[in-house]
């Protein structure tokens, strides 16, 4: 082998060693990034125009800022992974990290949350948020951990009100003979029955057709959801009877949460709490805009006397059998 061949061999070996070293270092670098980069998947069934989605986007932004980009919240909206029940089941199984649901489906796992379905238990908006931000609300967030579900925060879903296709519900007597769509909640169904109506559980995504075809005479929800769902097109009577305040809740798989590093848990909790405050402020604006839009579309808005409704549902409180619901109700009434 001549000197020229030896030189080429040496250069080749040197280049190969250098390339291998760079590749190894790059591999370590990428490995380090993946070890310190956390991705959390959050799915919900609402459209991207909904104020709750805006709250979740705020949470995503704050989580990125707090973690310096090391924690990413991947949002899957529009029911792409199924309705609320389907998403909740996925979170419980661990195939999805986080979801947004109404507290109504949580009743099956945390019976005390049935209290939110009871009518007229909150004196006003401030009493409602003092309860949720206080000890009672925070205890309820954690009450489903043994079922694999840990609450992160509440989102405002406003008051639930009746909207109907043929006539307004200005008193409980108007509900007699009417089929009203409700969530799959025992308490919600009991409330409609107590008021004199016929509770009819129907999936949310099937409600527009049900209203249009007369399968139900009405439903009950908050103004933004009433507009987002286009139900104003087929149900032209909206009544602010404010029978319940059922919050939305962000729920994470409990094992997934516990497996996160402590600092990630802290960032996630802080981002969720800040998103809750952001969203509830936005909710006020969006609710006002929703009613103004409804009126522009020919919807009649009513504000009835609430006393007949409150009096009619009073027997529901005495009929409560679940001890945890009784205790929670009394505690809520005692919140100043």
């Amino acid at each position: 082998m001549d000197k020229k061949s030896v030189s080429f061999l040496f250069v080749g070996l040197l280049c190969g060693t250098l390339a291998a070293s760079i590749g190894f270092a790059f591999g370590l670098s990428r490995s380090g990034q993946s070890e310190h980069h956390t991705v959390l998947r959050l799915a919900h069934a609402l459209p991207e125009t909904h104020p709750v989605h805006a709250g979740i986007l705020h949470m995503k932004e704050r989580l990125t800022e707090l973690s310096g980009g090391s924690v990413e919240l991947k949002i899957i909206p529009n029911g792409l992974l199924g309705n609320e029940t389907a998403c909740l089941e996925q979170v419980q199984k661990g195939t999805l990290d986080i979801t947004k649901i109404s507290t109504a489906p949580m009743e099956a796992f945390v019976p005390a949350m049935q209290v939110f379905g009871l009518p007229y238990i909150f004196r006003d908006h401030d009493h409602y948020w003092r309860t949720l931000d206080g000890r009672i609300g925070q205890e309820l967030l954690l009450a489903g951990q043994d079922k694999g579900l840990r609450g992160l925060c509440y989102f405002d879903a406003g008051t639930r009100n009746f909207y109907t296709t043929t006539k307004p519900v200005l008193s409980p007597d108007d509900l007699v003979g009417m089929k009203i769509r409700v969530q799959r909640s025992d308490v919600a169904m009991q409330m409609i029955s107590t008021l004199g109506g016929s509770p009819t559980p129907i999936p949310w995504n099937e409600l527009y057709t049900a209203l249009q075809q007369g399968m139900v005479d009405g439903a009950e929800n908050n103004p933004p959801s009433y507009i987002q769902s286009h139900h104003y097109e087929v149900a032209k009577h909206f009544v602010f009877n404010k029978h319940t305040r059922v919050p939305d809740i962000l729920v994470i798989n409990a094992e997934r949460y516990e497996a996160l590093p402590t600092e990630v848990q802290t960032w996630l909790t802080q981002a969720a709490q800040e998103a809750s405050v952001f969203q509830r402020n936005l909710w006020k604006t969006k609710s006002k805009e929703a009613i103004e839009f409804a009126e522009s579309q020919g919807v009649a808005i009513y504000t009835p006397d609430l006393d007949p409704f409150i009096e009619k549902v009073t027997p529901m409180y005495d009929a409560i059998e679940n001890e945890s619901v009784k205790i929670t109700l009394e505690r809520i009434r005692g919140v100043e």
Side-chain angles (χ1 to χ4, degrees):
M1 184 180 295
D2 57 26
K3 291 182 179 180
K4 190 173 182 180
S5 298
V6 170
S7 297
F8 279 121
L9 177 61
F10 177 76
V11 171
L13 289 171
L14 181 61
C15 290
T17 302
L18 182 60
S21 298
I22 292 173
F24 180 71
F26 182 71
L28 281 178
S29 174
R30 288 183 63 86
S31 176
Q33 287 178 7
S34 63
E35 285 178 2
H36 299 289
H37 186 75
T38 302
V39 178
L40 296 170
R41 295 167 68 245
L42 186 160
H44 67 79
L46 294 172
E48 294 171 79
T49 52
H50 198 282
V52 167
H53 181 76
I56 293 172
L57 283 177
H58 185 79
M59 176 180 168
K60 174 186 174 73
E61 294 168 1
R62 288 298 293 134
L63 191 55
T64 298
E65 293 169 357
L66 291 167
S67 68
S70 65
V71 182
E72 177 187 354
L73 186 65
K74 183 177 181 181
I75 305 171
I76 308 167
N78 300 311
L80 293 177
L81 294 188
N83 60 20
E84 286 197 343
T85 301
C87 287
L88 185 61
E89 289 173 350
Q90 291 172 63
V91 169
Q92 191 179 34
K93 292 175 182 176
T95 56
L96 178 66
D97 298 312
I98 308 171
T99 191
K100 190 293 304 176
I101 58 169
S102 166
T103 52
M106 280 294 290
E107 293 176 10
F109 307 100
V110 182
M113 283 195 180
Q114 292 178 22
V115 74
F116 292 122
L118 291 171
Y120 303 107
I121 64 169
F122 296 105
R123 294 188 291 274
D124 51 34
H125 178 268
D126 290 339
H127 178 219
Y128 172 68
W129 279 109
R130 285 196 302 272
T131 300
L132 296 186
D133 288 337
R135 186 173 179 178
I136 298 171
Q138 299 312 299
E139 287 176 1
L140 289 174
L141 284 179
L142 303 181
Q145 287 192 112
D146 60 340
K147 304 294 194 306
L149 302 168
R150 178 190 179 97
L152 290 172
C153 71
Y154 296 101
F155 283 144
D156 200 347
T159 58
R160 296 184 75 91
N161 311 272
F162 291 119
Y163 54 89
T164 49
T165 57
T166 56
K167 65 177 182 179
V169 178
L170 301 180
S171 75
D173 291 341
D174 292 324
L175 281 167
V176 176
M178 297 185 75
K179 293 182 179 179
I180 303 295
R181 182 268 177 184
V182 293
Q183 295 174 296
R184 289 191 178 279
S185 160
D186 291 341
V187 179
M189 294 178 69
Q190 182 186 358
M191 179 193 68
I192 299 299
S193 295
T194 302
L195 286 170
S198 176
T200 309
I202 291 177
W204 179 249
N205 60 354
E206 298 175 14
L207 180 52
Y208 184 98
T209 301
L211 288 165
Q212 188 179 46
Q213 297 181 355
M215 296 170 60
V216 292
D217 302 298
E220 45 89 50
N221 216 314
N222 55 61
S225 294
Y226 171 65
I227 296 302
Q228 294 282 344
S229 60
H230 292 269
H231 293 169
Y232 68 89
E233 296 175 351
V234 289
K236 293 292 188 179
H237 301 280
F238 191 98
V239 181
F240 270 114
N241 67 302
K242 304 178 182 180
H243 47 265
T244 53
R245 295 178 183 267
V246 182
D248 281 338
I249 182 174
L250 279 187
V251 181
I252 186 171
N253 176 274
E255 289 187 6
R256 176 69 163 128
Y257 179 87
E258 292 299 328
L260 294 172
T262 302
E263 62 182 1
V264 176
Q265 293 178 356
T266 301
W267 294 330
L268 181 62
T269 301
Q270 181 178 339
Q273 291 173 345
E274 290 182 13
S276 174
V277 175
F278 171 86
Q279 186 270 342
R280 73 183 75 166
N281 289 328
L282 179 63
W283 185 268
K284 296 178 184 178
T285 301
K286 294 302 182 181
S287 292
K288 183 174 182 293
E289 290 177 356
I291 289 302
E292 290 173 350
F293 177 78
E295 289 181 307
S296 74
Q297 299 301 304
V299 174
I301 308 296
Y302 308 85
T303 304
D305 179 7
L306 300 186
D307 287 342
F309 291 93
I310 296 172
E311 182 180 353
K312 190 76 172 182
V313 299
T314 298
M316 287 185 65
Y317 309 135
D318 297 328
I320 297 172
E321 296 181 356
N322 187 288
E323 195 63 27
S324 65
V325 177
K326 287 182 182 179
I327 294 172
T328 304
L329 174 59
E330 291 306 311
R331 293 178 66 195
I332 289 174
R333 285 173 168 170
V335 172
E336 296 296 333

